[in-house]
Structure formats: C-alpha cells, structure tokens
Amino acid sequence: MKIVIAGAGAVGTHLSKLLSRDRQDCVLIDEDPERLGDLDSRYDIMTIQGRTTSINTMKEAGVENADLFVGVTPDESRNMNACMIAHALGAKKTVARIDNFEYLDPARKELFERMGINSLIFPEVLAAIDITNGLKMSWVRQRWDVHDGALVMLGIKLRETCKILNQPLKELCGPDDPYHVVAIKRDGETLVPGGNDQLCVNDLAYFMTTREYIPYIREIVGKEHYTDVKNVIIMGGGRTAVRVAKIVPDYMDLKIIEIDGQRCEKLNEKLAERDVMIIHGDGRDLGLLQEEGIQNTQAFVALTGNAETNILACLTAKRLGVRKTVAMVENLDYVEMAESLDIGTIINKKTLAASHIHQMMLASNVSNVRSLMLVDSDVAEFTADSGSRVTKRAVKDLGLPFGVTIGGLVRNGQGILVNGNTRIEAGDSVMVFCHEQNLKKVEKYFKANTLW
C-alpha cells in the first residue's frame, strides 16, 4: 500500500513510525527540512521537502498512485486543500486533520466526499473521549470498550492493596476465570505474560474482561476505596477542555481554570449551555486551588500546551489529596518520565490521531485499532473471515507470532474471554494485543484464502 503524508509534525512523524513498522510504501512531505531531519534514515520511509499543497511536490511523491493521502499539518485549511488536490490527482482515499467541530456533523459527510475528502480527524475530540472515559472510572488508568462494552480492556496501576499479587497467573487466569492479563509494564519494560509470571506492586497491568465483571476486577485489584469522580478541576481552557466539558456526564461538577482573561470570556460563550464554572487564574497557584476546593475534588486534569506544567500540576494535585490525575503530554520524550513519576493517566492526542489514521490502512476486517504508547503496543479488533486460519484450529495451535495475545472475542453481541482451547468462528470480533509486532502479520490470520 502506498501512503503519502503531508506534514512532518508529531502526528505525521508518529504515523510514519507505525507505517515503517508495517513495511508500507510511505512518503512524508514537509516544507521545513529541520522537521524532516533524518526521518528517512531512522524509519523505512521517503521524505520530500516541499509545500504540501504543491502539485509538483505531490507528483514527485507519486500521489496519483497513492492508496491513502493524509493531511496532518497544523493548518486545517492547508490539509483540506491538499486532500482535494490529491484526490483530483488520483489518490484513492484522503483524510484531513481539522480544528472545526462542525465539520464532524454526519450530515456533512457527503459534502466532504464530493470535495474529495473521505475522512476527518479532530485530535481534541479523540482526546476528550479518552479523558471522559477515564473520569468515569477513577481507579483505572486507561479503558477501551469494544462493542459498547461487551469486552473491556482496563489498564490498572497495582498497589499494595491488590489481592492477586505474587501468584502465578496460571493459578489466577484459568479458563473459567472472568479476566485475562494481556500485558504488564514493569520498570520501563513491557511483558507479555505467561502462566508462570506474577503481578507485582507498581505494575501497570492490562486486564481483558467483560462488562459485568468490572466490579469484580475492582475488588481483586483492591480499588474499592477509590471514590467515584463527581468534582473535576481542569487546568487550561483550550479546545480539548471545551470538548471534555461538552461530553462529560451531567453528574460531574466541572471547573475550568484558565490564565488568559480573554479566553475565559470565550469559554463562557462556548459553554453557556453547560453548567461549568470558568475561573480566571493560574492552575498552579496553591492558594487558588485550595480556595476552589481541591481538597474535595476527585479528579484534576491538566490540559495546558506545556507538558512540564501539566506534569508538575498533577504531582501537586496528588500531593493535595486528589486521587485521579490526567495530564496532556504532547512531547513524546516526556511520556516515559510522566509514567515513572506516577502522575496518573497520560493523554497524547497526536498518537491518538495517528492510531485512528493507521486503522484506515489495514484490511476492511480490522474495525478498531488503539495504540498503547506506555507499553509500545497495539490493540486491534479483527473480524474473522469464513475460511480464515483462525477458524480452523484452537487458539493454542494457531502459531501466533511472539508478542501476540488474543484476549477475547465478541460473538452475537456477547463478550467471551479466550483460552487456548477456544475455537474462533467466522464473524467473531476478536481483540488482539500486539507488542512490537506488525499488525499486517496478524491480519493474514483473519483473512480468507491466505496462503501459508
């Protein structure tokens, strides 16, 4: 598959990394040579310096033969124009990064299709969904639902109160147990656990379970004492904060602290229909936080444009007694540091956007992909074709690549956990965890008429 990416910012660069891992034919365009740097030597991609809306540059990139053209510069208009030009030159499919929420109205999809733009990506919306899902469960670092919660993946930090520490997983996660542990992050390393591995204090463990057993998981990991989130303080009133405020459940009381007075006025206008308190001030000010009831707040969300500020603010909130903290960390170099400081949930909207685009390059039977940046892994939802390899043998006999684990499946709307003796059927939606693996390698297990 040939993919042309316009924009070598964080989204384009991360997407290039994913594509190089998948051995795709990828061309990355940017007019700034410093942004392109040595990307072509670090990743298996081609780089071209030039304007992203230049017809000559696009022809040099071979856009007329592109299966997918991606516009992910910081400029919404430039992305949309580039997609329209790429479509006119012959690109089969285009996707543009946007900043205007009204464009996402489903009623406008046909309009954009006629313009030559097949899909739109709004990173702040993706981030807001992640943040809101995290606020709904204060004891979970990360949550991902499949088929409206028929299957659920939960990333949980384990403390001394966890009841299943220091026991072989083969004694905890048998065929009849309501959960599987699909990955463990420990001391900076990711483990794809086997039956003899154990859970330890301070592990970040990823559990696969079904919706009805979420309370049971909460009990065994010792998180019953975590209170549900009702009061939330957000530091930073940017676009992501606005999207969170618009979709957060009504039972949550929300305060947004914004240092810019003019932005506060705009927030009051944008959120007039929501019961949100806008406070003009510095979210790092301890006196202000205490005045605004930080001691009675269950969640603190730092969404400024500065990663260091967000990390430090979350550490301060934790010191003041807030259990649930969320930090926007746009600089990928700081993600590992933020995790080591144990600040809570880490959000990077650029990797969320790149993952969303990455899904479009996979086969039609891959309906959902999620990158877990903390464990350098992907979780994907595959649909098993009739006659595909996964339908012909029990899971234990499939010969899956090392680092690949099948956590569960959804059949006729019901979530089912998978063990070695499970037989996958045609039409099943299967959750596959891939650590440092090419999703294309896994894809062929689920496709019919694949030669081996």
Side-chain angles (χ1 to χ4, degrees):
M1 181 177 281
K2 182 177 181 66
I3 300 100
V4 178
I5 303 171
V11 176
T13 302
H14 188 71
L15 187 55
S16 299
K17 177 183 176 181
L18 295 176
L19 294 174
S20 67
R21 194 169 66 186
D22 283 357
R23 300 291 189 268
Q24 303 284 5
D25 180 5
C26 177
V27 182
L28 179 62
I29 303 170
D30 201 287
E31 55 187 305
D32 187 342
E34 291 188 6
R35 280 201 291 266
L36 292 172
D38 61 348
L39 291 176
D40 55 349
S41 59
R42 288 165 54 199
Y43 307 132
D44 186 17
I45 63 172
M46 175 182 174
T47 60
I48 296 177
Q49 182 187 349
R51 288 190 301 113
T52 56
T53 53
S54 164
I55 293 175
N56 289 334
T57 300
M58 287 198 186
K59 286 184 174 180
E60 183 183 352
V63 76
E64 66 273 12
N65 299 315
D67 296 285
L68 180 66
F69 178 86
V70 182
V72 285
T73 75
D75 188 319
E76 173 187 78
S77 298
R78 184 179 295 181
N79 295 335
M80 297 177 72
N81 288 334
C83 284
M84 288 187 278
I85 295 170
H87 172 77
L89 291 174
K92 294 183 179 67
K93 198 173 186 180
T94 66
V95 56
R97 176 184 176 178
I98 61 166
D99 301 324
N100 192 335
F101 183 73
E102 70 173 339
Y103 291 165
L104 294 180
D105 186 338
R108 295 189 169 98
K109 181 174 176 58
E110 186 178 341
L111 168 65
F112 287 109
E113 289 275 1
R114 291 199 301 268
M115 293 167 62
I117 304 171
N118 302 110
S119 187
L120 300 169
I121 296 291
F122 195 149
E124 285 78 9
V125 170
L126 299 175
I129 292 170
D130 248 29
I131 292 167
T132 304
N133 284 340
L135 293 177
K136 290 175 184 176
M137 298 175 68
S138 60
W139 51 281
V140 169
R141 290 286 176 92
Q142 199 165 14
R143 173 177 176 166
W144 194 46
D145 289 17
V146 178
H147 282 259
D148 295 323
L151 274 180
V152 182
M153 187 189 71
L154 304 173
I156 303 171
K157 190 78 170 182
L158 305 183
R159 306 298 187 187
E160 291 82 355
T161 53
C162 179
K163 301 174 184 177
I164 54 174
L165 298 175
N166 307 316
Q167 303 173 59
L169 289 177
K170 63 186 177 184
E171 298 177 7
L172 299 172
C173 308
D176 299 322
D177 289 297
Y179 66 93
H180 292 328
V181 179
V182 295
I184 300 169
K185 181 71 174 288
R186 179 183 299 155
D187 299 328
E189 299 292 328
T190 298
L191 308 176
V192 179
N196 293 320
D197 288 305
Q198 302 179 10
L199 297 173
C200 300
V201 172
N202 294 325
D203 281 353
L204 177 60
Y206 287 83
F207 292 77
M208 191 74 70
T209 189
T210 54
R211 180 169 39 205
E212 64 267 30
Y213 285 105
I214 290 177
Y216 175 74
I217 300 297
R218 183 174 187 172
E219 178 190 350
I220 63 174
V221 298
K223 302 285 186 176
E224 300 114 311
H225 59 289
Y226 275 63
T227 56
D228 292 334
V229 173
K230 292 184 180 178
N231 300 305
V232 183
I233 292 179
I234 295 180
M235 182 179 76
R239 288 196 299 262
T240 304
V242 171
R243 300 313 336 155
V244 171
K246 286 182 176 289
I247 65 173
V248 77
D250 289 337
Y251 65 81
M252 292 186 187
D253 291 326
L254 191 63
K255 296 179 180 179
I256 298 178
I257 301 176
E258 167 58 46
I259 200 167
D260 186 311
Q262 290 185 335
R263 182 61 183 172
C264 286
E265 292 179 11
K266 289 183 179 179
L267 288 171
N268 277 315
E269 294 174 9
K270 289 177 178 290
L271 300 174
E273 78 283 4
R274 299 287 294 187
D275 186 17
V276 179
M277 182 180 293
I278 310 300
I279 300 161
H280 180 209
D282 189 340
R284 297 168 296 182
D285 184 336
L286 291 181
L288 176 62
L289 290 175
Q290 289 168 339
E291 183 180 327
E292 294 302 330
I294 189 74
Q295 66 275 10
N296 298 315
T297 297
Q298 293 83 40
F300 181 87
V301 184
L303 300 178
T304 76
N306 187 289
E308 298 100 315
T309 297
N310 294 339
I311 292 169
L312 290 172
C314 284
L315 289 173
T316 300
K318 287 185 73 108
R319 186 166 62 84
L320 294 172
V322 179
R323 282 201 177 274
K324 179 72 175 183
T325 55
V326 180
M328 183 78 78
V329 181
E330 289 297 273
N331 188 331
L332 291 173
D333 294 333
Y334 289 159
V335 169
E336 195 71 32
M337 179 186 72
E339 167 59 18
S340 68
L341 292 171
D342 201 19
I343 65 165
T345 299
I346 299 166
I347 299 290
N348 183 289
K349 59 178 183 282
K350 292 166 183 172
T351 59
L352 289 172
S355 297
H356 197 78
I357 298 167
H358 187 213
Q359 176 187 321
M360 300 176 189
M361 303 164 202
L362 299 170
S364 58
N365 64 344
V366 186
S367 57
N368 221 336
V369 175
R370 179 69 178 272
S371 285
L372 308 176
M373 60 182 174
L374 293 181
V375 287
D376 194 20
S377 305
D378 297 314
V379 182
E381 180 185 351
F382 289 88
T383 300
D385 287 347
S386 178
S388 58
R389 184 176 182 181
V390 292
T391 63
K392 296 179 179 179
R393 301 183 179 98
V395 168
K396 65 182 179 183
D397 300 321
L398 289 176
L400 294 170
F402 179 77
V404 174
T405 302
I406 294 179
L409 59 87
V410 179
R411 180 180 297 159
N412 298 323
Q414 180 182 358
I416 302 171
L417 294 178
V418 168
N419 60 60
N421 296 318
T422 300
R423 298 293 296 255
I424 295 170
E425 299 178 3
D428 286 348
S429 292
V430 185
M431 289 276 284
V432 183
F433 177 89
C434 304
H435 175 54
E436 294 184 339
Q437 277 294 338
N438 180 343
L439 283 174
K440 282 286 183 183
K441 288 183 181 179
V442 181
E443 189 178 82
K444 61 185 179 181
Y445 284 79
F446 291 84
K447 295 176 67 175
N449 304 318
T450 302
L451 297 177
W452 294 83

